Amino acid sequence: MLLRRHRNAVKPRIEKTEKREPTIEEMQEVFNYTKSEINGMKTADLQMLGAKLGIEDAEQKTGSTLKSEIVEILNL
């Protein structure tokens, strides 16, 4: 049996939710790292973590720059 859509069918409304920045507490829960763990990470791992945290051009930054930015973002 074929199902046909009506031309005047009511489409479900999708409500847009506002995008908001996650709080420091939410980020700390998701990214459960210590300062020592971050300082011991390789640059490639820091670049991936930086991209997940929303750091612009994380793939182009050095390890030491990323370490300080990540520690600051996670408030460690």
Side-chain angles (χ1 to χ4, degrees):
M1 179 165 149
L2 294 173
L3 297 176
R4 295 185 183 158
R5 292 188 177 180
H6 296 274
R7 286 187 181 177
N8 297 328
V10 177
K11 294 181 181 178
R13 291 188 77 175
I14 300 173
E15 294 183 28
K16 294 182 180 179
T17 57
E18 292 183 29
K19 291 185 178 180
R20 65 174 181 81
E21 293 291 322
T23 64
I24 292 172
E25 291 80 18
E26 290 172 338
M27 290 182 105
Q28 287 174 335
E29 287 177 15
V30 173
F31 300 102
N32 193 18
Y33 294 101
T34 64
K35 190 173 180 178
S36 298
E37 289 174 329
I38 291 170
N39 285 326
M41 290 176 119
K42 295 181 180 180
T43 303
D45 296 331
L46 290 166
Q47 289 171 337
M48 288 191 312
L49 180 58
K52 289 179 184 177
L53 289 171
I55 296 175
E56 292 183 27
D57 298 326
E59 294 82 18
Q60 306 300 323
K61 294 187 178 184
T62 63
S64 61
T65 304
L66 286 168
K67 287 176 189 178
S68 62
E69 289 184 27
I70 291 169
V71 166
E72 185 178 325
I73 289 172
L74 295 179
N75 199 25
L76 299 175

